[in-house]
Amino acid sequence: MIKRVLYVVALPAVLFGAWFVLSDNSESFYSPPLRDILTAFGDTWSADRLRADVVPSLLRLFAGYLLAAVIGVALGVAIGLNRRLRATVEPVLEFFRAIPPPVLVPVIMLFAGIGDGMKVIVIVFGCIWPILLNTVEGVRAVDSVVLDTARAYGVTGPARLTKVILPSAGPQIAAGLRQALSIAIILMVISEMFAASNGLGFTIVQFQRSFAIPEMWSGIILLGLLGFVLSLLFRLAEQRALRWYEGLRAAQRQG
């Protein structure tokens, strides 16, 4: 356990240490010393600022991400199980997947306004594709022998879905969810840069426009820390949900 923690924190600690040393004598207005940035971090991100800007960003992030997860998995299962449906919708899915979500922000603003709904829709649109496509491929890859065995034992209907298909496709669904999490963080910030009165992206842009450079860098560091924590929490949840898969991989490596 200690060795694993060291692996996680060693490289970030080395990079921050190098940044601190190399920037210590910096006189650049746009690249202040890390010492000044850390001072600004403590002064800027008080409890009130976190409640006013970070909490709304996280609520939008979770709302968009969870909605994309539900829609993506549900549609992915339906498309993965139906060959004709998959052949019909696949060209359309590839078309929409190729559209960068930030390009649609102005369009979405026309229909959804500039409130929280617009930001959630942007996150959903960007996150749904890796979840959907990975779910489709995961369902398609379920071993036919496993499906035939389940059918022979009378495992049909909802039980077949929850006991056979979803667990078998679980690793690939988790891969899609992992990709979508990083996309959600990016889109959370981008949507708040267009039209917002609060949020982490909005605050970073305000610091940049007012030439509060150390405060701007402190916001970027906070964003990176949030991404790291969310990734770590996702990894822990993934290991718990796919414990059988991790055990199978460990057994295969030992064999």
Side-chain angles (χ1 to χ4, degrees), residues 133-168:
L133 295 175
N134 275 276
T135 302
V136 170
E137 293 305 316
V139 171
R140 288 182 60 189
V142 176
D143 194 341
S144 59
V145 175
V146 174
L147 294 176
D148 292 340
T149 303
R151 189 180 300 109
Y153 280 94
V155 181
T156 57
R160 177 171 176 263
L161 176 64
T162 58
K163 302 296 184 182
V164 179
I165 295 174
L166 286 179
S168 298

Side-chain angles (χ1 to χ4, degrees), residues 57 60 100-110 112-123 185-206 208-209:
S57 292
R60 295 168 192 141
V103 174
L104 293 179
V105 172
V107 178
I108 296 174
M109 286 173 59
L110 294 176
I114 60 174
D116 291 343
M118 178 273 290
K119 300 169 183 60
V120 172
I121 292 172
V122 170
I123 294 172
I185 296 172
I186 295 170
L187 294 178
M188 174 196 75
V189 176
I190 291 176
S191 65
E192 291 173 350
M193 288 179 173
F194 274 85
S197 58
N198 61 13
L200 192 50
F202 168 79
T203 304
I204 292 174
V205 170
Q206 291 301 107
Q208 181 263 334
R209 289 174 178 172

Side-chain angles (χ1 to χ4, degrees), residues 8-222:
V8 171
V9 302
L11 182 58
V14 170
L15 293 176
F16 265 89
W19 185 7
F20 191 94
V21 172
L22 294 175
S23 67
D24 194 49
N25 295 322
S26 175
E27 297 180 357
S28 171
F29 178 76
Y30 299 104
S31 301
L34 181 56
R35 178 183 62 254
D36 295 347
I37 296 173
L38 295 178
T39 301
F41 189 100
D43 296 337
T44 302
W45 300 105
S46 61
D48 290 338
R49 172 80 74 173
L50 293 175
R51 282 195 297 268
D53 289 314
V54 178
V55 171
S57 292
L58 290 177
L59 291 177
R60 295 168 192 141
L61 171 69
F62 291 142
Y65 180 74
L66 292 176
L67 190 57
V70 172
I71 297 174
V73 171
L75 288 178
V77 170
I79 295 171
L81 291 175
N82 192 313
R83 185 177 302 175
R84 290 184 179 178
L85 178 61
R86 184 167 63 251
T88 302
V89 303
E90 198 166 34
V92 178
L93 295 180
E94 293 297 331
F95 172 80
F96 280 109
R97 187 186 68 153
I99 300 176
V103 174
L104 293 179
V105 172
V107 178
I108 296 174
M109 286 173 59
L110 294 176
F111 297 96
I114 60 174
D116 291 343
M118 178 273 290
K119 300 169 183 60
V120 172
I121 292 172
V122 170
I123 294 172
V124 171
F125 185 84
C127 292
I128 195 171
W129 307 114
I131 300 172
L132 172 61
L133 295 175
N134 275 276
T135 302
V136 170
E137 293 305 316
V139 171
R140 288 182 60 189
V142 176
D143 194 341
S144 59
V145 175
V146 174
L147 294 176
D148 292 340
T149 303
R151 189 180 300 109
Y153 280 94
V155 181
T156 57
R160 177 171 176 263
L161 176 64
T162 58
K163 302 296 184 182
V164 179
I165 295 174
L166 286 179
S168 298
Q172 198 142 353
I173 295 174
L177 291 170
R178 193 184 310 114
Q179 295 172 21
L181 181 59
S182 60
I183 294 173
I185 296 172
I186 295 170
L187 294 178
M188 174 196 75
V189 176
I190 291 176
S191 65
E192 291 173 350
M193 288 179 173
F194 274 85
S197 58
N198 61 13
L200 192 50
F202 168 79
T203 304
I204 292 174
V205 170
Q206 291 301 107
F207 286 147
Q208 181 263 334
R209 289 174 178 172
S210 60
F211 294 97
I213 303 302
E215 289 77 7
M216 180 194 74
W217 279 106
S218 73
I220 294 172
I221 291 176
L222 177 60

Side-chain angles (χ1 to χ4, degrees), residues 167-168 171 242-255:
S168 298
L242 299 178
R243 191 179 304 166
W244 64 271
Y245 181 68
E246 297 292 339
L248 179 61
R249 291 180 59 187
Q252 290 175 343
R253 285 194 296 265
Q254 291 175 358

Side-chain angles (χ1 to χ4, degrees), residues 1-14 228 232 235:
M1 182 64 181
I2 296 177
K3 184 181 292 187
R4 183 177 299 179
V5 172
L6 289 175
Y7 276 129
V8 171
V9 302
L11 182 58
V14 170
F228 173 77
L232 184 61
R235 180 58 180 165

